[in-house]
Amino acid sequence: MKTRKNLLALLLALAMTFALAACGGDSQNSPSPDPTGSASLDPEPTGSGSTGDYGQFTTLEEGKLIMVTNASFPPYEMTDDNNNVIGIDPEIAQAIADKLGLELVIDNIDFDAALLAVQENRADVMLAGLTYREDRDLVMDFTDSYATGVQVIIVREGDTTIQGTNEDLQLVGADGAVLEDIQIGVQRGTTGETYCQDAHGTDHVTSLDNGSLAVQALLNGQVDCVVIDDGPAREYVAANPGLEILEGSYVTEDYCAAVDEGNTALLNAVNTALNELIEDGTVQSIMDKYITAE
């Protein structure tokens, strides 16, 4: 009888041991819970998320939408007297951030640097009078267009050397002949730079960090003209007596926002919010605020 009791006690102890092991699991193979209570093998923060009409997405910093731009492209982006970035793109970005429930953070850097910041995942989105281009589409994902950009040619007032362009976007004189001995000012990293280099060669194109420097080069006689978007062109001509815009357009393009290549969730969220703002008239009202009809 004593032996049977000892055997029962041993069996009971073994049963309790197995039960405890089953409840505890193997701590070496089980992931540790993250602060939200869900198991994760990735200790790095995943940014902010949102669910609802805009789907589930992440941003670089929780609760924030980091936008990069180059604030020397009025009226799309510029700085006020307090060095705050203002303009069409910041207001559109703010409206998008509001819809997504995020705080907008604007990083004002060079245009080329802004392109790289998105591609290298150091910013969530770029709005900077950014034109869709096939080579850019290889490294960035673009939203639908929210504005049409018309590039024009700024010249010194009274200068009749340049009369327009031909079908290959080459600048021509009064007789329609291509101007060979010409220097064109552009903003570095823009489609205007690409078009002018393709049409005239890199030796005939002077690339500056922003549109303001390109216009200053024109005023100083360092270039013969500046190719830039119509909106900024009008701002620069109004602010700098002695300049004028040639009739017609150099080329017409569509402006879009862009995110890092492959970030489909964020792209869809931003694009959905953007299209809502287009449909309800918000984007047009922002455009009308900065661009008045003549």
Side-chain angles (χ1 to χ4, degrees), residues 153-177:
I153 304 165
I154 306 176
V155 296
R156 287 182 288 272
E157 203 167 40
D159 185 354
T160 59
T161 304
I162 305 170
Q163 294 292 305
T165 60
N166 62 19
E167 64 276 5
D168 296 319
L169 298 181
Q170 295 170 313
L171 302 181
V172 298
D175 58 357

Side-chain angles (χ1 to χ4, degrees), residues 14-94:
L14 288 173
M16 291 179 66
T17 300
F18 289 135
L20 289 171
C23 291
D26 187 347
S27 61
Q28 292 182 341
N29 296 324
S30 299
S32 301
D34 66 15
T36 62
S38 59
S40 173
L41 294 175
D42 184 3
E44 297 298 322
T46 57
S48 63
S50 175
T51 58
D53 295 340
Y54 308 106
Q56 185 170 346
F57 61 90
T58 59
T59 55
L60 292 174
E61 293 188 31
E62 185 172 358
K64 296 180 180 180
L65 181 69
I66 301 176
M67 163 193 163
V68 282
T69 194
N70 176 231
S72 60
F73 195 64
Y76 285 89
E77 36 269 318
M78 52 210 167
T79 54
D80 61 15
D81 293 338
N82 296 317
N83 212 34
N84 298 311
V85 179
I86 61 172
I88 293 171
D89 284 339
E91 291 206 20
I92 291 176
Q94 183 63 66

